[in-house]
């Protein structure tokens, strides 16, 4: 959090004062930027720090903890320590007091800490993915934009799930009818806008949003996750009667024939 970051910076500044280190620059990434190999975020401040160090702007780097500097394991940590040694630099790790032990003596503990941090990050990511996969298999809604035609039911006691929005579902059937009658997707968009209807994002309809909606697998109860093949029956099925199923089949055929 912002408060934790400020507290850590204050501690680092106090440590620098105790060690008579003159602070020439503070390198702070944007909130949410991770040092892990899982996200592999771009870290411009981290790179700028190393560039300035190699340019001789300073000879000491202070960090709150080695795993705040890198969580990519012993390989990257070793490269960073080699860079420091090459330029006769110092690393002050507040959590280990490397100033007292010396960089060479602290090398093995620092590498171990970096590798432990990498392993923890990878294992945490695996646990999160397993949990999300289980939720997807159970049909739980994991968040994001709710598809048009559905509504999210949220509760503090139960996972969020989706139900059919009767009004929006009726509008989808109306769109299908217009397409079957020969309207283009642009004409359908104009008709919807003339009626004052809005998309799921509360925007005006366009031929693109109409086309994307009427081709969406969520209309037949499927979900697509990260462009993977649709997973059957993971959201409420909007094809809840034979009439709409027939409409959708004819609509798809018309769209294919029009190409």
């Amino acid at each position: 959090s912002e408060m934790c970051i400020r507290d850590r910076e204050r501690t680092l500044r106090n440590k620098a004062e105790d060690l008579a280190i003159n602070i020439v620059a503070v390198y702070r990434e944007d909130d949410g930027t991770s040092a892990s190999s899982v996200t592999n975020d771009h870290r411009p401040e981290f790179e700028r720090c190393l560039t300035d160090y190699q340019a001789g702007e300073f000879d000491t780097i202070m960090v709150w903890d080695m795993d705040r500097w890198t969580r990519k394991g012993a390989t990257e940590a070793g490269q960073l320590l080699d860079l420091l040694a090459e330029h006769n630099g110092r690393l002050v790790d507040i959590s280990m007091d490397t100033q007292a032990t010396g960089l060479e003596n602290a090398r093995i503990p620092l590498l171990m800490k970096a590798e432990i941090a990498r392993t923890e990050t990878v294992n945490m990511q695996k646990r999160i993915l397993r949990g999300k996969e289980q939720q997807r298999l159970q049909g739980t809604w994991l968040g994001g934009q709710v598809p048009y035609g559905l509504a999210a039911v949220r509760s503090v006691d139960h996972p969020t799930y989706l139900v059919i929005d009767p009004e929006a579902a009726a509008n989808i059937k109306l769109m299908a009818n217009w397409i079957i009658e020969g309207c283009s997707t642009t004409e359908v968009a104009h008709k919807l806008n003339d009626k004052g209807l809005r998309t799921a994002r509360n925007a005006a309809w366009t031929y693109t949003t109409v086309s994307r909606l009427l081709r969406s697998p969520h209309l037949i109860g499927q979900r697509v996750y990260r462009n993977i093949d649709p997973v059957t029956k993971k959201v409420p099925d909007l094809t809840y009667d034979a009439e709409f199923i027939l409409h959708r089949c004819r609509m798809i055929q018309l769209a294919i024939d029009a190409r």
Side-chain angles (χ1 to χ4, degrees):
S1 68
E2 182 70 23
M3 184 173 296
C4 288
I5 292 174
R6 287 200 302 267
D7 287 343
R8 290 173 180 176
E9 183 175 327
R10 187 183 309 112
T11 302
L12 284 165
R13 288 182 178 276
N14 291 338
K15 185 67 172 181
E17 184 177 351
D18 292 342
L19 297 174
I21 294 175
N22 178 40
I23 298 176
V24 298
V26 175
Y27 301 89
R28 179 176 175 182
E29 302 289 0
D30 291 338
D31 291 345
T33 303
S34 173
S36 80
S37 59
V38 174
T39 58
N40 204 28
D41 290 341
H42 177 52
R43 302 171 65 200
E45 289 296 283
F46 172 78
E47 293 172 4
R48 188 167 70 89
C49 172
L50 296 183
T51 299
D52 291 349
Y53 171 74
Q54 289 175 289
E57 297 290 329
F58 46 82
D59 61 8
T60 301
I61 295 178
M62 299 185 66
V63 296
W64 170 261
D65 197 312
M66 187 65 177
D67 64 11
R68 300 295 91 190
W69 199 24
T70 177
R71 298 180 69 84
K72 294 185 178 181
T75 300
E76 181 172 88
Q79 292 171 347
L80 294 171
L81 294 176
D82 287 344
L83 179 64
L84 285 167
E86 181 183 343
H87 294 269
N88 297 315
R90 293 188 299 171
L91 173 68
V92 177
D93 181 331
I94 296 294
S95 68
M96 293 183 60
D97 195 10
T98 52
Q99 173 68 19
T101 60
L103 183 59
E104 193 61 36
N105 292 333
R107 185 180 179 91
I108 292 178
L110 286 170
L111 292 176
M112 290 178 62
K113 178 182 284 191
E115 193 60 28
I116 290 171
R118 186 200 67 82
T119 302
E120 288 177 347
T121 301
V122 171
N123 288 339
M124 181 184 299
Q125 180 72 2
K126 289 179 179 179
R127 289 195 295 271
I128 291 173
L129 292 177
R130 281 198 300 268
K132 288 186 175 181
E133 180 62 24
Q134 186 61 34
Q135 288 179 295
R136 279 192 291 273
L137 292 173
Q138 294 172 351
T140 302
W141 181 247
L142 300 182
Q145 180 64 51
V146 176
Y148 188 81
L150 301 173
V153 178
R154 295 179 171 87
S155 170
V156 295
D157 301 322
H158 304 285
T160 300
Y161 62 94
L162 301 181
V163 296
I164 292 174
D165 179 343
E167 182 177 347
N171 292 335
I172 293 173
K173 184 179 292 187
L174 190 60
M175 295 181 212
N177 282 330
W178 285 334
I179 291 291
I180 292 168
E181 291 168 2
C183 291
S184 68
T185 52
T186 298
E187 291 171 330
V188 170
H190 288 322
K191 286 176 176 288
L192 294 171
N193 291 330
D194 289 343
K195 287 178 171 289
L197 301 175
R198 310 287 284 181
T199 69
R201 297 180 181 273
N202 196 33
W205 290 92
T206 66
Y207 75 91
T208 302
T209 51
V210 170
S211 178
R212 185 179 299 125
L213 170 65
L214 295 180
R215 295 171 185 269
S216 174
H218 86 271
L219 296 182
I220 54 173
Q222 296 181 334
R223 282 189 61 191
V224 176
Y225 178 69
R226 292 185 179 178
N227 297 323
I228 300 173
D229 291 339
V231 179
T232 305
K233 304 300 181 186
K234 293 308 172 189
V235 296
D237 192 342
L238 284 163
T239 59
Y240 49 84
D241 59 36
E243 179 186 2
F244 189 82
I245 293 174
L246 176 61
H247 285 179
R248 178 162 175 76
C249 290
R250 293 176 63 188
M251 175 195 69
I252 294 174
Q253 188 61 54
L254 286 171
I256 293 174
D257 292 342
R259 289 181 177 273

